[in-house]
Amino acid sequence: PDAAGRLSLLRHRLREGMDCEAEVTSDDALRQLAQDTQGFSVADLISLCREAAMSCIRRQIAGGGHGQVSLTDIQHAVALVPPSLAAAVIQHPPRP
């Protein structure tokens, strides 16, 4: 998806589907995350959100926080989940 599509998906997943800190779901943070996820497919973005939730759970189990996904959890997920779309595919999608 393009930046607008990534923003829409991230907004839906993080605002409505998960319990996140307010700074994670701010318009500025979501816009930046959409820009930072160039090359991510829809499945990659869903994996990124899932990994952020798992990071939050691991932090809770270790006794280091509350139950909301933080910016640190999101940053951890971005570092772990690679984009699956190559730059060439993004610039020149295959023709039907």
Side-chain angles (χ1 to χ4, degrees), residues 5-79:
R6 292 190 307 274
L7 176 61
S8 178
L9 187 139
L10 291 165
R11 182 177 287 135
H12 174 74
R13 297 288 294 191
L14 296 174
R15 282 190 179 166
E16 298 171 20
M18 299 169 63
D19 186 17
C20 299
E21 292 178 353
E23 66 180 354
V24 170
T25 59
S26 72
D27 286 337
D28 289 340
L30 289 173
R31 273 200 277 310
Q32 184 61 52
L33 184 57
Q35 290 300 318
D36 293 346
T37 53
Q38 173 76 20
F40 281 61
S41 67
V42 171
D44 297 336
L45 293 170
I46 291 169
S47 292
L48 184 140
C49 292
R50 186 177 301 121
E51 181 58 41
M54 293 303 296
S55 177
C56 176
I57 291 168
R58 286 189 290 270
R59 188 169 34 83
Q60 281 182 291
I61 290 170
H66 49 83
Q68 291 183 308
V69 175
S70 69
L71 277 177
T72 301
D73 297 322
I74 297 291
Q75 292 163 349
H76 176 78
V78 169

